[in-house]
């Protein structure tokens, strides 16, 4: 993929973000694009940064540990968006600014401890990943267990609980209307966030939802961060 095409892809995505925001009566500045660079080389991250992307998402700690060497310490914000195993938590706490896929208290406690031990002054931003679809075995905290987990994570001093994240089921082109099929999951995440906000008295400004195939619906339902891989970088190897 050449620089022009990442740049062109970005322009097209930005137009789509703006149009979806306008439909929902929102401003496009309220929505942060996270370029999902997993499987793509560091050079592609550099190209996307040159084109204007400032947030990147990776889903494996080890892959990022290797690739970050090739990004020349670009002043971007690095998000871990994939499932985090407990034995990788300490490393993740040092390599990322944000962990958007926390679904377990033990992992959150490890992130908190590692951050303190490494002497970071800034808190690590975390989102709780919610399992919004029951029919599939996916990562994420069960809806019923969310309030208790949120309360405990919010109490960890080195973490900043900023909101919620979800990965709804994928409704391929086989579905009559993939957009209508996925919408209720995004609505649900927003409602869960609103309930938690009231319950915990925390701002919880972030809703990370929407990928290449469904980010416009997610924006209509309140997404503040969209995680876009394929539409920006092209297909994954
Ligand atoms: C890979 C991935 C994405 C991006 O998916 P695309 O369909 O390529 O846009 C978003 N979120 C998570 C958690 C992912 O693992």
């Amino acid at each position: 993929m050449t620089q022009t095409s990442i740049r062109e892809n970005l322009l097209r995505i930005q137009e789509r973000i703006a149009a979806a925001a306008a439909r929902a009566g929102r401003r496009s500045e309220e929505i942060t694009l996270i370029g999902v660079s997993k499987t793509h080389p560091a050079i592609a991250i550099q190209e996307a940064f040159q084109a204007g992307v400032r947030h990147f998402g990776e889903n494996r700690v080890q892959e990022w540990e290797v690739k970050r060497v090739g990004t020349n310490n670009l002043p971007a914000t690095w998000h871990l968006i994939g499932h985090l195993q407990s034995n990788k938590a300490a490393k993740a706490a040092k390599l990322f600014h944000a962990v958007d896929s926390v679904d377990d208290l033990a992992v959150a406690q490890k992130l908190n401890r590692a951050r303190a031990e490494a002497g970071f002054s800034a808190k690590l931003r975390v989102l709780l990943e919610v399992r919004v679809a029951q029919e599939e075995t996916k990562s994420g905290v069960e809806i019923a267990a969310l309030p208790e987990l949120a309360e405990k994570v919010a109490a960890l001093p080195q973490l900043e609980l900023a909101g919620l994240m979800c990965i709804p089921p994928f409704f391929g082109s086989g579905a009559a209307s993939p957009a209508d099929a996925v919408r209720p999951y995004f609505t649900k995440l927003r409602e869960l966030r609103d309930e938690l906000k009231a319950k915990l008295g925390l701002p919880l400004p972030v809703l990370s939802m929407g990928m290449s195939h469904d980010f416009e619906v997610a924006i209509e339902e309140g997404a503040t961060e969209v995680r876009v891989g394929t539409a920006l970088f092209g297909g994954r190897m």
Side-chain angles (χ1 to χ4, degrees):
M1 172 135 318
T2 69
Q3 185 163 347
T4 1
S5 58
I6 287 181
R7 196 175 284 277
E8 282 166 4
N9 289 343
L10 177 61
L11 287 175
R12 216 159 299 130
I13 292 164
Q14 286 167 336
E15 284 166 9
R16 289 168 61 191
I17 289 175
R23 280 197 298 280
R26 305 179 62 201
R27 295 178 313 124
S28 49
E29 299 78 57
E30 293 169 28
I31 296 129
T32 300
L33 171 67
I34 299 183
V36 177
S37 46
K38 65 187 186 201
T39 79
H40 295 284
I43 183 78
I45 297 175
Q46 291 193 13
E47 290 175 9
F49 185 89
Q50 294 311 321
V53 179
R54 290 294 177 269
H55 289 254
F56 293 90
E58 288 278 338
N59 70 341
R60 287 168 194 269
V61 177
Q62 261 156 335
E63 181 184 337
W64 175 236
E65 196 179 16
V66 174
K67 256 159 57 174
R68 67 197 285 269
V69 177
T71 62
N72 297 332
N73 299 317
L74 292 175
T77 301
W78 310 102
H79 298 246
L80 179 66
I81 61 170
H83 184 70
L84 177 58
Q85 287 168 329
S86 173
N87 61 354
K88 305 269 167 57
K91 200 169 264 181
K94 293 171 200 140
L95 293 181
F96 293 93
H97 296 107
V99 176
D100 297 348
S101 47
V102 172
D103 63 0
D104 177 80
L105 182 61
V107 166
Q109 287 167 333
K110 285 196 173 174
L111 290 170
N112 183 64
R113 198 174 318 127
R115 201 74 178 183
E117 283 169 6
F120 280 81
S121 53
K123 292 185 179 196
L124 176 68
R125 192 198 84 158
V126 299
L127 304 179
L128 296 181
E129 180 179 350
V130 184
R131 189 171 165 222
V132 288
Q134 298 307 314
E135 67 267 28
E136 279 168 52
T137 45
K138 278 230 169 98
S139 50
V141 59
E142 296 286 341
I143 288 172
L146 174 64
E148 192 187 339
L149 179 64
E151 199 170 347
K152 290 185 169 156
V153 171
L156 296 171
Q158 307 301 326
L159 305 186
E160 180 205 350
L161 176 59
L164 303 180
M165 180 271 220
C166 75
I167 310 172
F170 175 64
F171 299 96
S173 49
S177 170
D180 289 338
V182 77
R183 189 179 301 275
Y185 297 98
F186 294 141
T187 313
K188 182 70 186 173
L189 197 72
R190 186 189 67 227
E191 290 170 354
L192 289 169
R193 190 276 309 268
D194 292 345
E195 287 165 21
L196 265 187
K197 201 171 146 165
K199 190 169 186 288
L200 302 181
L202 289 174
L204 303 181
V206 178
L207 278 178
S208 173
M209 54 189 198
M211 303 166 43
S212 290
H213 60 277
D214 58 13
F215 70 83
E216 285 144 307
V217 190
I219 289 169
E220 289 170 15
E221 295 305 319
T224 63
E225 295 183 2
V226 292
R227 308 179 307 268
V228 179
T230 313
L232 180 64
F233 291 105
R236 283 185 285 275
M237 283 128 259

